[in-house]
Amino acid sequence: MVRIASVNVNGVRAAFRKGMGEWLKKSKPDILALQEVRADRSDLVGLLGDGWVVADDPCSQKGRAGVAVASRIPHDRVQISLGPASIDTSGRWIEVLLTTESGLSFTVVSCYVHSGEAGTPKQAAKYEFLKLMDSRMKELSKAASPSVIVGDLNVGHRTLDIRNWKGNLKNSGFLPEEREYLDSWIGSEDDPLYNSGERARWVDVGRSFHGETEGPYSWWSWRGRAFDNNTGWRIDYHLANSMMAKKVKNYFIDKAATYDRRWSDHAPVVADYDL
């Protein structure tokens, strides 16, 4: 069994100061996908300690973005190229090919989509990234090996994924144009093949496991009582191609017990795959 955990750490150095190290020892993932690392490779390697093979894609702007995949399994290949230089220096996509002891090769992608801001250049950058991501996902979905894309996609797919969805219909993260990308990857909710992985599409592992229920959410604002009132968003995903989806045995969002025990505004999203 291979445990893959994904989390937007909101700055890995700050996360470790607040307790991420203790969570890591308890959760014991075999593969750790990180977003918003905001640190140099030396910092990341030093914080994780011995036994981890680390691949990272830092942002060219210090203190911004950055993604990484750390694993107990050696990396066969690492790819960060997704498009033009404006995308490939932003620290938002890293693809790692791994092989288990039994000889099964599979791909893990750590992805951090822009947060965006409706009607601004930030939103245009988000759409540029989503378009390039869509092209690569079509290639991966048709590959002859298991693949999973994990990370902070900064889009809530359905009304079930945001507690206050009515108040966010015109905000980045729940715009119709953004959600259409997830429709194309997973299927719309009125599609009879929604979330089936058919038609070379992807399976939203979280929705598959939890069914037609609100949430469970993976992000809550630091402000107010959003966490205590569970006014959250489900924007962190495991999207598995059909081969990988068949290997899922368990899935959960590892939400902190209380507000003061949080070490990020996101909760880790964890799944066990029988690889």
Side-chain angles (χ1 to χ4, degrees):
M1 200 71 64
V2 174
R3 170 162 289 187
I4 301 177
S6 174
V7 60
N8 179 323
V9 292
N10 210 230
V12 72
R13 289 170 295 193
F16 265 81
R17 286 196 299 269
K18 295 175 182 177
M20 180 180 170
E22 288 73 17
W23 168 83
L24 198 56
K25 291 175 184 176
K26 181 181 178 181
S27 181
K28 298 180 179 179
D30 301 290
I31 299 171
L32 179 64
L34 305 176
Q35 303 87 46
E36 250 190 304
V37 175
R38 299 188 200 163
D40 294 332
R41 177 181 174 80
S42 58
D43 294 319
L44 184 55
V45 171
L47 290 167
L48 290 175
D50 296 335
W52 291 96
V53 182
V54 178
D56 71 323
D57 180 27
C59 182
S60 58
Q61 294 179 276
K62 283 192 174 292
R64 300 282 300 277
V67 289
V69 174
S71 72
R72 303 293 190 180
I73 305 169
H75 301 166
D76 296 335
R77 186 179 71 240
V78 176
Q79 177 177 324
I80 61 173
S81 177
L82 193 63
S86 60
I87 294 293
D88 289 338
T89 60
S90 63
R92 296 181 180 275
W93 180 276
I94 188 165
E95 208 172 296
V96 178
L97 178 69
L98 308 102
T99 302
T100 66
E101 290 183 357
S102 63
L104 177 65
S105 294
F106 64 102
T107 298
V108 176
V109 176
S110 180
C111 177
Y112 175 45
V113 176
H114 305 61
S115 56
E117 185 178 341
T120 72
K122 292 181 179 179
Q123 192 65 26
K126 184 174 187 176
Y127 287 135
E128 180 187 15
F129 184 85
L130 285 168
K131 185 177 180 180
L132 290 166
M133 182 177 164
D134 178 67
S135 179
R136 180 58 182 150
M137 287 178 68
K138 286 176 180 175
E139 294 173 349
L140 286 171
S141 69
K142 298 172 184 176
S145 60
S147 297
V148 61
I149 295 168
V150 302
D152 176 5
L153 303 192
N154 263 315
V155 180
H157 186 200
R158 300 173 54 190
T159 57
L160 293 175
D161 297 319
I162 302 179
R163 172 59 64 86
N164 181 25
W165 64 269
K166 289 183 180 178
N168 284 284
L169 287 169
K170 296 182 179 181
N171 293 332
S172 184
F174 202 59
L175 296 172
E177 297 87 350
E178 298 172 329
R179 296 162 62 198
E180 284 175 4
Y181 279 98
L182 276 80
D183 283 347
S184 69
W185 300 337
I186 303 165
S188 60
E189 57 187 297
D190 58 355
D191 185 334
L193 295 179
Y194 164 74
N195 211 28
S196 66
E198 297 293 327
R199 300 176 184 161
R201 292 197 298 210
W202 298 79
V203 173
D204 176 352
V205 177
R207 184 55 62 208
S208 178
F209 254 72
H210 289 286
E212 298 294 294
T213 60
E214 289 189 2
Y217 307 121
S218 63
W219 176 84
W220 305 262
S221 172
W222 287 115
R223 298 192 298 267
R225 298 185 60 82
F227 183 82
D228 295 333
N229 295 332
N230 200 28
T231 306
W233 295 50
R234 191 177 76 96
I235 53 176
D236 301 271
Y237 296 82
H238 279 230
L239 299 183
N241 69 359
S242 57
M243 291 184 67
M244 192 72 164
K246 293 172 183 176
K247 300 181 182 299
V248 182
K249 296 301 178 184
N250 188 31
Y251 168 95
F252 60 96
I253 293 177
D254 203 356
K255 183 182 178 182
T258 59
Y259 179 94
D260 61 344
R261 294 176 67 180
R262 302 172 75 192
W263 42 267
S264 172
D265 51 355
H266 294 253
V269 181
V270 185
D272 296 323
Y273 297 84
D274 185 4
L275 296 169

